[in-house]
């Protein structure tokens, strides 16, 4: 049985869309998680250490932020794809590299406000090293603030993967993702619009649901809402 029919090669369209969704959602969620971890550690380190270390680390972030987003993603994906010979891995790295920058700035600001707090002073007086203080006190207390913004990273990661795959520089056929399926459907829009509308509907519905989830996370973690 094929509830939504088959594509031009006789493959079940619904199974293709569900299989492509696994790729898009995996890249989205794991890319967002990796971005949050990197941004919290990086930002907490820069904010706590301060001085020249902070200046150097944040200037590097400023340089990357000044590069157009899609240009940076495409350049990373294309260059790493040839080197790694693994398109999905290079796409994952490209998504992570471009999404951790803004959360790192937020984490750095939180770390600056935390480094003079009493519990940090007590940890310093107790003989803990700077790295121990960052890992055990500064970074964990920066996560809540970062999550308020980073809840949107899953949507950004999914859209980035779909857009790159649509352009043909992300997931490559015959592997499926929502981007490759939408690209294939666009080529057959006049003859078989199902090939475009079904993956497009799944992508839109997923983003719509995730948007509500991010609103809930924002209400739960934003201290101003309590």
């Amino acid at each position: 049985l094929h509830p939504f029919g088959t594509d031009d090669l006789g493959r079940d369209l619904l199974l293709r869309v569900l299989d492509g969704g696994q790729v898009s959602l995996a890249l989205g969620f794991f890319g967002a998680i990796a971005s949050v971890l990197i941004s919290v550690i990086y930002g907490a380190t820069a904010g706590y250490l301060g001085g020249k270390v902070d200046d150097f680390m944040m200037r590097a972030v400023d340089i990357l932020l000044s590069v157009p987003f899609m240009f940076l993603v495409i350049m990373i994906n294309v260059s790493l794809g040839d080197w790694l010979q693994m398109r999905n891995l290079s796409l994952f790295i490209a998504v992570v590299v471009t999404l951790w920058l803004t959360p790192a700035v937020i984490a750095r600001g939180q770390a600056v406000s935390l480094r003079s707090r009493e519990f940090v002073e007590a940890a310093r007086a107790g003989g803990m090293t700077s790295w121990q203080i960052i890992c055990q006190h500064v970074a964990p207390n920066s996560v809540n603030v970062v999550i308020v913004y980073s809840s949107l990273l899953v949507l950004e990661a999914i859209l980035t993967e779909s857009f790159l795959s649509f352009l043909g520089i992300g997931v490559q056929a015959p592997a499926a993702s929502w981007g490759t399926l939408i690209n294939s459907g666009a080529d057959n829009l006049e003859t078989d619009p199902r090939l475009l509308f079904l993956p497009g509907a799944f992508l839109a519905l997923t983003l719509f649901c995730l948007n509500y989830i991010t609103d809930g996370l924002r209400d739960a973690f934003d201290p101003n809402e309590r």
Side-chain angles (χ1 to χ4, degrees), residues 74-157:
I74 292 172
M75 290 300 297
I76 293 173
N77 188 44
V78 171
S79 59
L80 290 181
D82 294 337
W83 177 56
L84 295 174
Q85 299 298 318
M86 296 178 64
R87 183 67 65 178
N88 287 0
L89 179 58
S90 65
L91 180 60
F92 173 81
I93 294 174
V95 170
V96 171
V97 167
T98 53
L99 291 185
W100 71 271
L101 300 173
T102 302
V105 177
I106 299 173
R108 182 259 179 191
Q110 180 70 1
V112 170
S113 66
L114 289 173
R115 66 186 179 190
S116 59
R117 296 284 294 274
E118 291 80 2
F119 65 92
V120 175
E121 294 289 348
R124 191 181 298 116
M128 295 182 66
T129 64
S130 296
W131 182 244
Q132 289 176 324
I133 295 174
I134 291 171
C135 293
Q136 297 182 27
H137 296 289
V138 179
N141 284 281
S142 301
V143 170
N144 286 358
V145 177
V146 173
I147 285 179
V148 175
Y149 172 83
S150 300
S151 55
L152 296 172
L153 292 183
V154 178
L155 283 78
E156 291 187 35

Side-chain angles (χ1 to χ4, degrees), residues 2-8 11-14 17 181 185 188-189 191-200:
H2 307 291
F4 291 96
T6 60
D7 61 11
D8 51 354
R11 296 171 295 191
D12 186 278
L13 184 57
L14 179 60
V17 172
L181 294 174
N188 297 277
L189 179 60
T191 58
D192 194 350
R194 293 176 307 111
L195 300 179
L196 174 63
F197 292 151
L198 188 61

